[in-house]
Each structure stands twice: as C-alpha cells, then as structure tokens.
Amino acid sequence: MSPETTDGLPARILELGEELRREGIAIGTSEILDAFDVLGEISWTSKDDFREALAATLAKSQEDRRVFELVFDRFFFRTVEVAARQEGVSEDEFVALDELSEDELEALRAQIAAALRDGSEGAMRDLARLAIAALARRQEGSGVIGVDVQRIRRALGLRAEPQPDLPAGDPRRDGVPREALRRFEALLRRELERSQIERTGNLPPSRPLGELDRALPSGPLADLAAVHRVVAQLRRRLATQGMQARGHRRHAHVDVRRTMRASLQTGGVPVELKFRPRRPRRPEIYVLCDVSTSVTSASVFFLSVLHALHDTFRKMRSFVFIERISEVTDIFERERNFKAVSERISTDAGVADISGYTDYGRVWSEFLEQVEDDLHPRATVIVLGDARTNGRDPRAEVFAHIAARAGRTFWLNPEPRLYWNYGDSVIAAYEQYCTAFECWTTAQLEDFVRALTRPAATAGR
Amino acid sequence: MPSAPTSVADLAGGLREVGYLPGEATTLVAYLAIKLGKPVLVEGPAGVGKTELAKALAAHLDRELVRLQCYEGLDEAKSLYEWNYRKQLLRIQTEQAGTGWEAVQEDIFGEEFLLARPLMTAITSEQPVVLLIDEIDKTDQEFEAMLLEVLSDFQISIPELGRLQARTHPVVLLTSNNSRELTEALKRRCLYLWLDYPTLEHELEIVHLHAPDLDEAVARRLVEVIGMVRELDLKKPPSIAESIDWARALLLLGVREIDADTFNETMSVIVKHRTDMDVVAERVGLKLRSPADVA
C-alpha cells in the first residue's frame, strides 16, 4: 500500500480517518494502523462486521462512537455515490407514480406501517423509495431534504404516539416504534439525497455535523438530564486535569529534619533522603451565583456546575444572590442529590426582597462584609451572572476591592459577548477587575475549567 | 478447546457453550483481540456482563483467568511484583558470615524472592492466560501510565532484574464503568467495545439460558418490564444479573403471569434503592395494571 494510491480501500480508510479527525475525534497513526490490521482478520462482505471492526479501533468512547456512526454512514454513502457517478452508473429514475388513487395510497401506508413494526431493513428501504415516488412527486419538493422527509412522514400518517381513532387492525393504531420511525426517516433522507445527487450530477458539499456543536441547554424547560450529562463529563475532566497539573510541577525539596532523624538508624549517615511530601494546594473557591429571573435558564445549569465543583473542591463556599446574598455552602454539603439542592435553595435561601431584580451593588457589599477577613491571595472568586443591574448602581469600586483581596477573579456570563454592555448590562465596569468568560456552550465552559484548574502563576507556596 | 478460534462464528458458538450469549459486536471484538493480540477496553453500565465476558473467554479458550481488581490507591507492589522482603532477610541472616556483599546481592534479588502479583503472573505464565483488569477507572492516572508498558509490549521492567518478556500472549480485557475519563495513551493501545443493555430478544435468550424452565410468555413479559424499568431515570437500573435473579425468583414462586401484584411483591429483586422503588411502583406498576383490567 503506497501512500500515493488514491483509490482502493486503503485510501478510503485514510479519508475516513481524515473526516473523523475533522469532527474532532482524536485518531492517531496507531489507530489507522490498527484499523488496517483488523480489516485483515474479518470478511468485508458483511457491512456490520466491517463497521464494528472499524469502530472498535477508531472510536474509543461512546461519544466518539456516536460521531463515528454518523460519519461512517455518510462517508460510505458518499463514496459509493462518487464511484457510481464516475462509472456512469445510475439507478433508474423513480417511476413516476403520479396518479395513485386514495385506496392505493392507503394500502401503501398500511404496508409501510407494518414494515416499520416488524423492523425489516430491506422492506423499509424499498418502501421508502416507493413512498418518495408516490408522494414527493405529488407535491413539489421543497428543495430542503429535511422538510421533505417530514412532509412524507406526515402524509403517511406515521406517528410514534398511539392514534386511537384509526381502525382496530391498523398497525399504526398503537403508535409506530420510535426507533423504527427514526430509521425510516434516515432511509427517506438517504433516498432523497441520492435522487438529488442524480438530478444535479454532483454531491452537495459535506458539512460538519451541526448537532455536535452542543450548545448549553437553555430555556426553562431545559432537559435536566442533558445538563447532568455535561456536568458529569466536566467532573471527570476536573478530576483528571487537577491530577495532570500536579504532575507537571515535580519538585524535590529535601526535608532536612526528617532526613537527619532517619539518619540516626544508619549511624548519622544520611543514607535515605526524606523529601517533603507534595501537597497539592487545593484552591479556595468562592462562588457567587445569580438566581434571578433574567438568568433563569442559565441558573439551572450554573447550579449544577456549582454542585459538580463542590464534589471536586473541598474548600469552597457558595452563595446565591438576587437582591441579597445568601450562603448555601452547607446545603450543598448536606445534600448529595441535585434536585433536593435546587429545591432547598429556592425555598429557604431567602435572597429576593420585594422587586426580585438583581442588585449587584448591594450584593458586593454584603459579600465583602461576610468574607472580607477570609479572602486572601490564594482564594479564587467566581461570579456567575449576566451583570444586568436593572439600572441600579453597579458599585464597581466594591467589586474592585474584592478582586484585589482575592488572588483570581473570574466572571462567567451566560450571554453571548455580542450582548454585553447593551441595555442595563454593565459587565465592562467589572471586566477590568476580573477575567470574564462568555459561557453558553460546553466548549466555553471547558475553556473556563482549563483556566480554573491551571494553577495560578502568582500563587504563593 | 485450547486452540484459537478460526472464525467469528466459531467463537460465538464457543462462548454460547460456556453459557455466555454474546452480542454480535462483542464476539467480533473479542475475536479480533485474540487474533491481533490487542487489549480490549470494555465500557458500559454496571451489570451488562463485562466481567462475565472475560470469564467466558477464559472458559472457552481453556485458559486460566488472572484477575486484577482495581481500586483507588492500587500500586505496583500490589499489581506487578514485590520483593519478598522477609525471605531476603532470612537469607542474609543464614549466610551472614563469610559471604561478600556481591554474592549476597546477586542472590537476594533473584526471581526466587519475587512475589508475583496478577500482572506479572499473567505475563510470565507458561500457559497463555486471560488477564482481566477490572474497573480500571477506579485507579489513579499514575497506575494507568504503568500499565502502558505491560499492555503494548507485554513486558515488565524490574530495575534489579532487567526486563521480563511475556512468554505467551495473554488476552487482555480492561473494564471501566466510565467514572472517569481514561487517558488517550491507554485508549490508543486498546480496541474499544461498548457493552450496552441487550436488546429485548437477546435478553430473552439470556434469561432462557439461565432459567430454562420459565414459561415462554412470562419470560417475554419479564424482559419487557425490565426494559420499561430501565427507561426510567433510576439511581441503579436493573442489570442482566438482576433479570436472571428475577426470572429464578418467579420460577420458584411458580408465577404464571406477571401482574401488578406479583410485580409489587417481587420488585425488590430488581430495584435496590428506596427512592427508585417508589418511582418504579408508580410508573411501571400502573402500566401493568391496565392491560389486566381490560382483559
């Protein structure tokens, strides 16, 4: 296999590796070599074996595996299409089924529903093509594949929910299995894409998988489970990262006292050197979290981040605020369950007065009152909030005082940077005293975590 | 049958014989691991048969299973080797007079004084073994780094002795419950296998294998209910082991049909948390009632 070959399977595998790398999966040369090794051991005629074998060597976590599935399907589908175009092979254009009577259509619907219920892949593929032939022609294609897929699905009356008004024998009555429906939609999408490629004679540009830019769940109905997944990952990373940072600063300070003491055993000759143990300095962290209505969607997320941080850092004090400030450290320490924590905070934190609008000025002075004596250069202060003062005095000088007392000060703002300093946002007043991060996607959160776990350069030892 | 399997189907059949019903991906990856001699990293929720897979492989290949259970603070002395310090002392004492340091040193740092721990046992064994490194995510990163040498080159460096090379090639399985991210370096050396809860049909087969006398209809119902319970957001979803336990319990009780009452009485076999029980009783118990009322 020479690297110049541009056709044949080796080249395809390399391209697949490239594409996976573009989607952010770490694939090294060793993975690629492994992939070639495993392909020597299995038969290539079974698509499942082929895919599983490649996945075992290329995708090394569940998250990677999910991306792999998507890329694999798209990649080999495209490869086949490219080859077909080069060879001049084209499948017959769909037979135009313009005039399908309502009865025939109803029969088709029932047939598709039955195939979905039984979950047979081959039948589903054929029926997907039939459905496109029957329905996509009747209505003008919208040009957007996703829209067409949904239109066809609706026209077929396929729904995951039970449809009790249908006759008893109809397979759609109890609802179509969600998994089968998803697969059928994928088949529709693929067939539509194929016919589009054949019509236009070229491939649409391949786009990176959009859904992978995982934005933070937002909106009050944000899926708590999704938040938890993100946070769990974050926690793992925190646990691992702290470790690495500690490993970097290897030091060997001889503990003279203990060495001398040990040398007594060997007659005063210091045979065994005793080193000072490396005690990782756990940062002391103060977190202030805005829980007012303007950040409702973000505060669910922030609270769970707080929760995760609490598990990782021992010395940490947390506060929530709206108009006033309230310490919630012991709630987090007592309650291990996130749901209980957020309930406790909403019931007995007592942070809102009358208006329910955030008053940053007051929050700073109250915070300073409570912790001024404890703040020292090794402490880190993190503020989670949107810096919208509702027209009240920001009292940036108090914040400056806090930042000066503490070693590091971070600000996490759930708004995109574009909105900063518009309206009543006064983040500019605070930003000069702290490092501000925009934080509305997990990637941004990870940036912040990296900054946080990196030991402060100025930290005294 | 100590010889290596010749095909994937061959291995699948062999694993079945020893009472393990592998999924397709599982067999394939296991087969590749044996063929290529690469370690496999098996991840998945608790109780889907990660450890069982290693046991079944050992039984099928007729090899000894060497198991290293990981925990926080596990170190080289516990996993690789340790000098048998007492024996060394004894040796020095008995030979005290007359022998020079040189002679004694060569003596006491010999293989005779080495206490082999699981990893070394696996490497130096005369017969090929199956090495199971269980719950690797429980250890620290330092330990992972130490494993790298063992996993990629199948050798151990002992400062006083030199390198110990593997005489035979062990099949290595590492399991992880995903409680922490493993390092890239470790993942790079392994094949990856994600074991998930089995599909309905697959689990039904497993239940059949372990509780063959259970009525077909009851078994199917049982697997469906377990599936329903797993859908809920529980602290600890029921594992395969628990479905088997439940099947055996139902068999003992002579149950002919799983209705709401039987379910509530025997629920404790599959759900093991106070709060989970409330959730399950509320959500699944009700669902079980409705078809019975209709019938």
Side-chain angles (χ1 to χ4, degrees):
Chain A
M1 166 197 60
S2 72
E4 293 89 40
T5 39
T6 48
D7 48 356
L9 195 68
R12 289 290 95 76
I13 302 288
L14 288 177
E15 278 169 26
L16 177 67
E18 272 300 313
E19 192 136 338
L20 286 168
R21 274 183 203 142
R22 266 203 293 282
E23 300 292 353
I25 298 182
I27 290 180
T29 316
S30 67
E31 265 92 355
I32 299 279
L33 289 176
D34 283 350
F36 284 119
D37 278 350
V38 295
L39 290 182
E41 297 292 339
I42 53 145
S43 77
W44 299 358
T45 44
S46 154
K47 187 182 166 206
D48 284 341
D49 282 2
F50 185 75
R51 184 173 55 207
E52 286 298 333
L54 279 183
T57 52
L58 296 178
K60 306 232 164 141
S61 72
Q62 210 194 355
E63 185 62 26
D64 286 358
R65 179 62 200 256
R66 202 173 60 86
V67 177
F68 175 87
E69 293 285 342
L70 293 169
V71 173
F72 181 90
D73 276 354
R74 193 181 64 181
F75 182 81
F76 280 99
F77 168 67
R78 294 180 82 95
T79 311
V80 168
E81 289 301 307
V82 170
R85 270 198 336 104
Q86 280 166 354
E87 301 283 321
V89 181
S90 84
E91 296 197 27
D92 292 335
E93 263 294 315
F94 297 121
V95 216
L97 294 172
D98 295 314
E99 292 313 313
L100 211 56
S101 70
E102 199 49 44
D103 279 354
E104 283 169 316
L105 198 59
E106 195 51 48
L108 178 65
R109 280 180 187 144
Q111 219 178 342
I112 288 175
L116 256 63
R117 191 193 46 203
D118 304 334
S120 70
E121 190 83 29
M124 258 158 61
R125 178 173 181 267
D126 290 346
L127 287 165
R129 306 194 55 178
L130 206 58
I132 292 170
L135 296 163
R137 290 284 175 280
R138 269 153 73 107
Q139 306 144 349
E140 283 297 300
S142 66
V144 182
I145 288 177
V147 174
D148 284 347
V149 168
Q150 290 309 318
R151 190 179 283 167
I152 293 173
R153 182 185 62 80
R154 270 197 305 278
L156 291 172
L158 297 171
R159 276 203 246 143
E161 302 84 38
Q163 306 181 65
D165 47 327
L166 288 172
D170 197 301
R172 283 171 294 169
R173 193 159 188 270
D174 299 328
V176 180
R178 208 171 283 273
E179 180 61 17
L181 193 58
R182 205 182 52 71
R183 268 195 301 161
F184 186 66
E185 279 179 16
L187 284 171
L188 280 178
R189 175 178 295 273
R190 170 160 309 181
E191 291 304 323
L192 280 170
E193 210 170 320
R194 189 195 300 279
S195 69
Q196 194 182 34
I197 291 170
E198 283 187 356
R199 259 203 319 278
T200 57
N202 60 24
L203 292 172
S206 77
R207 279 189 308 258
L209 304 164
E211 63 189 293
L212 292 170
D213 304 338
R214 294 157 292 165
L216 290 182
S218 61
L221 294 174
D223 189 7
L224 213 70
V227 175
H228 269 267
R229 251 196 317 280
V230 173
V231 172
Q233 210 169 19
L234 173 73
R235 178 156 44 199
R236 271 215 298 282
R237 201 147 295 177
L238 273 175
T240 341
Q241 271 197 348
M243 226 45 120
Q244 276 172 347
R246 253 171 271 151
H248 283 317
R249 292 188 300 143
R250 219 161 266 293
H251 75 160
H253 288 284
V254 175
D255 187 336
V256 179
R257 226 178 117 106
R258 284 178 57 225
T259 307
M260 295 305 272
R261 212 181 141 67
S263 75
L264 291 180
Q265 279 189 333
T266 47
V269 185
V271 170
E272 200 181 339
L273 288 180
K274 296 277 184 191
F275 295 100
R276 268 194 218 139
R278 259 187 299 151
R279 293 218 174 79
R281 283 233 184 275
R282 294 255 178 201
E284 280 171 42
I285 300 186
Y286 296 85
V287 184
L288 290 132
C289 181
D290 189 347
V291 288
S292 70
T293 43
S294 64
V295 285
T296 314
S297 55
S299 58
V300 175
F301 172 73
F302 276 158
L303 279 179
S304 35
V305 172
L306 255 186
H307 197 241
L309 288 173
H310 250 279
D311 278 355
T312 315
F313 297 98
R314 293 285 140 63
K315 280 201 168 173
M316 170 161 166
R317 290 175 68 182
S318 6
F319 302 83
V320 292
F321 64 87
I322 299 179
E323 293 191 280
R324 319 190 42 138
I325 190 163
S326 165
E327 179 155 7
V328 291
T329 311
D330 41 325
I331 298 185
F332 276 107
E333 258 155 33
R334 262 204 318 276
E335 300 280 357
R336 308 311 295 161
N337 183 339
F338 175 73
K339 256 183 214 142
V341 169
S342 48
E343 264 165 37
R344 290 284 314 269
I345 286 179
S346 56
T347 53
D348 36 294
V351 283
D353 257 2
I354 313 123
S355 66
Y357 293 125
T358 327
D359 184 348
Y360 278 92
R362 185 163 167 197
V363 165
W364 302 140
S365 48
E366 280 188 17
F367 177 65
L368 202 56
E369 225 168 82
Q370 286 194 25
V371 301
E372 173 152 35
D373 296 337
D374 299 338
L375 277 180
H376 54 79
R378 248 187 304 108
T380 303
V381 175
I382 304 172
V383 184
L384 312 169
D386 57 0
R388 295 200 174 269
T389 53
N390 308 294
R392 290 168 171 166
D393 183 5
R395 310 254 327 251
E397 75 283 353
V398 188
F399 182 73
H401 186 62
I402 295 175
R405 296 290 307 252
R408 293 186 298 173
T409 314
F410 295 110
W411 192 298
L412 292 189
N413 194 328
E415 290 182 342
R417 205 170 267 272
L418 200 63
Y419 302 143
W420 291 13
N421 302 314
Y422 275 92
D424 55 355
S425 166
V426 292
I427 184 118
Y430 299 130
E431 200 179 355
Q432 44 187 315
Y433 305 111
C434 63
T435 324
F437 291 85
E438 54 181 330
C439 181
W440 45 283
T441 67
T442 43
Q444 288 163 344
L445 185 68
E446 276 167 25
D447 283 346
F448 164 70
V449 168
R450 222 166 289 141
L452 178 69
T453 44
R454 199 185 308 131
T458 52
R461 16 182 49 190
Chain B
M1 190 176 60
S3 64
T6 51
S7 73
V8 180
D10 186 20
L11 181 64
L15 288 178
R16 259 161 210 276
E17 261 168 47
V18 293
Y20 185 87
L21 292 182
E24 263 173 54
T26 315
T27 334
L28 183 73
V29 174
Y31 173 76
L32 290 173
I34 297 169
K35 280 283 171 194
L36 300 178
K38 291 205 70 124
V40 187
L41 172 63
V42 191
E43 282 192 318
V48 289
K50 299 190 287 292
T51 310
E52 282 307 310
L53 173 63
K55 288 188 191 159
L57 272 178
H60 166 61
L61 298 171
D62 198 15
R63 295 184 178 189
E64 196 193 336
L65 177 72
V66 179
R67 179 170 177 173
L68 175 65
Q69 179 70 45
C70 296
Y71 50 87
E72 217 176 313
L74 178 69
D75 60 0
E76 287 153 51
K78 298 269 171 46
S79 60
L80 266 178
Y81 66 91
E82 202 170 12
W83 289 107
N84 195 339
Y85 166 69
R86 280 182 212 124
K87 207 167 163 190
Q88 284 175 330
L89 259 187
L90 268 178
R91 177 60 172 259
I92 294 172
Q93 275 172 357
T94 50
E95 300 199 1
Q96 221 161 23
T99 36
W101 165 243
E102 289 290 313
V104 175
Q105 189 195 22
E106 284 197 356
D107 244 20
I108 61 173
F109 288 111
E111 283 194 42
E112 189 190 341
F113 297 96
L114 217 50
L115 286 176
R117 302 295 186 201
L119 287 182
M120 203 173 114
T121 316
I123 291 277
T124 54
S125 160
E126 295 284 344
Q127 298 296 320
V129 296
V130 174
L131 171 63
L132 168 65
I133 303 176
D134 218 356
E135 308 196 336
I136 174 81
D137 51 332
K138 295 264 163 60
T139 59
D140 327 307
Q141 260 191 345
E142 287 82 351
F143 181 77
E144 249 178 67
M146 192 213 73
L147 270 183
L148 297 182
E149 188 189 6
V150 179
L151 293 185
S152 58
D153 301 334
F154 294 99
Q155 64 176 32
I156 296 174
S157 300
I158 299 177
E160 294 87 350
L161 273 182
R163 276 206 308 265
L164 288 183
Q165 201 81 37
R167 287 172 212 169
T168 52
H169 217 96
V171 173
V172 186
L173 271 89
L174 299 100
T175 75
S176 155
N177 286 331
N178 221 345
S179 73
R180 119 184 126 77
E181 202 83 60
L182 299 174
T183 55
E184 286 294 324
L186 182 75
K187 284 185 175 177
R188 182 142 291 165
R189 283 166 175 78
C190 302
L191 298 176
Y192 182 82
L193 173 65
W194 171 264
L195 270 187
D196 212 339
Y197 293 118
T199 57
L200 206 142
E201 294 300 324
H202 189 186
E203 184 155 22
L204 189 61
E205 252 184 282
I206 296 173
V207 168
H208 256 301
L209 187 74
H210 290 271
D213 301 331
L214 192 67
D215 189 58
E216 167 74 39
V218 177
R220 179 165 283 277
R221 191 87 184 119
L222 173 145
V223 175
E224 281 170 5
V225 172
I226 293 269
M228 260 193 269
V229 175
R230 279 190 196 135
E231 295 267 301
L232 304 173
D233 183 21
L234 297 186
K235 272 201 185 117
K236 175 165 183 337
S239 66
I240 299 179
E242 274 145 353
S243 8
I244 294 171
D245 283 348
W246 197 27
R248 286 186 179 147
L250 292 180
L251 200 59
L252 272 181
L253 296 173
V255 172
R256 309 293 313 154
E257 195 194 337
I258 301 179
D259 51 21
D261 290 334
T262 0
F263 181 71
N264 284 338
E265 280 160 19
T266 55
M267 187 170 63
S268 55
V269 181
I270 54 168
V271 189
K272 313 244 164 108
H273 267 283
R274 179 74 229 141
T275 44
D276 284 359
M277 289 181 89
D278 294 343
V279 176
V280 171
E282 191 183 313
R283 305 281 287 280
V284 178
L286 276 183
K287 260 189 207 161
L288 284 176
R289 186 154 294 137
S290 48
D293 290 345
V294 173

